[in-house]
Amino acid sequence: NAGVTQTPKFQVLKTGQSMTLQCAQDMNHEYMSWYRQDPGMGLRLIHYSVGAGITDQGEVPNGYNVSRSTTEDFPLRLLSAAPSQTSVYFCATFNTGELFFGEGSRLTVL
Amino acid sequence: TQLLEQSPQFLSIQEGENLTVYCNSSSVFSSLQWYRQEPGEGPVLLVTVVTGGEVKKLKRLTFQFGDARKDSSLHITAAQPGDTGLYLCAGEGFAGGFKTIFGAGTRLFVKA
């Protein structure tokens, strides 16, 4: 049972490059979300989705895009990476009062 | 904007000692959750408290939700090295749990 799978686990980008962080779940949960975790700031919500075809912004959405074409997948796109986007990114599903997290993707932007 | 403040930020104690971690807010939450996170992994849910004044126990861990549902505490009795990790409190507002907000976390290190 894989749960929530994130790829890649590590990535280094140069300023201005674009990339997509992949997130896939096999639990058939409707709700999915992306968080970023920075030292001393906890987890902050970037974007979330309540179901296929529906997405909305969280607390820190600038510089990120998302789409939800299927229940299983919720990719996070960085259009033009900036050093301020250096962080650990977590994808999560939500069901019956609990968030289920992936193992995280550590992104460094030089 | 709802905020959750955790204290202390860091805690280093000897095995066998007791400790308490606090989570405070000026906002009311429909529920508060405690997660534990180990290096290289995502947070994992420990407990959810829903009712004001509620106390839940999970082995040596005791969780309490404030009467006004604005704050919570986590007490660990006789800490063990296996308790080492990052403890995060999280508040679920009335808009839905998928918009859960998190405190900055308490990093606990228990020395053998």
Side-chain angles (χ1 to χ4, degrees):
Chain A
N1 189 358
V4 179
T5 303
Q6 291 182 233
T7 56
K9 285 186 170 33
F10 301 94
Q11 183 71 50
V12 179
L13 291 177
K14 294 181 180 178
T15 296
Q17 287 185 319
S18 63
M19 79 156 299
T20 299
L21 298 177
Q22 301 291 345
C23 176
Q25 57 118 344
D26 62 1
M27 297 180 287
N28 202 34
H29 292 166
E30 290 295 327
Y31 301 139
M32 296 186 74
S33 52
W34 276 100
Y35 287 85
R36 59 177 289 173
Q37 186 174 34
D38 302 292
M41 301 189 73
L43 289 145
R44 291 182 292 168
L45 183 64
I46 305 171
H47 284 285
Y48 65 94
S49 169
V50 300
I54 306 170
T55 64
D56 206 347
Q57 297 180 349
E59 181 186 357
V60 288
N62 292 340
Y64 307 95
N65 278 353
V66 291
S67 61
R68 185 94 180 272
S69 56
T70 67
T71 299
E72 293 78 21
D73 300 300
F74 191 42
L76 178 72
R77 297 183 184 86
L78 283 72
L79 302 177
S80 179
S84 61
Q85 293 180 302
T86 293
S87 187
V88 181
Y89 291 85
F90 287 96
C91 178
T93 67
F94 178 81
N95 190 54
T96 57
E98 181 174 353
L99 283 162
F100 298 85
F101 288 89
E103 293 186 334
S105 297
R106 183 176 292 275
L107 176 66
T108 301
V109 183
L110 302 175
Chain B
T1 301
Q2 295 178 309
L3 293 174
L4 278 170
E5 295 186 356
Q6 277 188 248
S7 62
Q9 286 187 322
F10 302 98
L11 199 52
S12 181
I13 62 173
Q14 292 288 343
E15 181 177 4
E17 292 184 0
N18 301 331
L19 67 118
T20 301
V21 176
Y22 300 93
C23 178
N24 296 293
S25 176
S26 58
S27 302
V28 176
F29 291 95
S30 64
S31 67
L32 263 174
Q33 301 171 327
W34 286 91
Y35 288 80
R36 180 178 164 207
Q37 184 179 18
E38 299 196 31
E41 299 181 6
V44 176
L45 181 67
L46 293 173
V47 78
T48 299
V49 285
V50 178
T51 306
E54 181 177 5
V55 176
K56 280 191 174 179
K57 292 191 175 184
L58 187 64
K59 297 184 180 178
R60 294 175 293 101
L61 279 61
T62 302
F63 305 85
Q64 186 163 7
F65 200 11
D67 290 341
R69 290 156 66 195
K70 294 182 178 181
D71 54 86
S72 181
S73 64
L74 157 61
H75 182 80
I76 301 179
T77 303
Q80 299 177 359
D83 296 327
T84 293
L86 179 66
Y87 290 82
L88 297 158
C89 70
E92 180 179 338
F94 296 94
F98 48 90
K99 297 185 74 175
T100 300
I101 66 166
F102 283 81
T106 295
R107 190 165 296 282
L108 172 65
F109 182 66
V110 182
K111 294 174 282 188

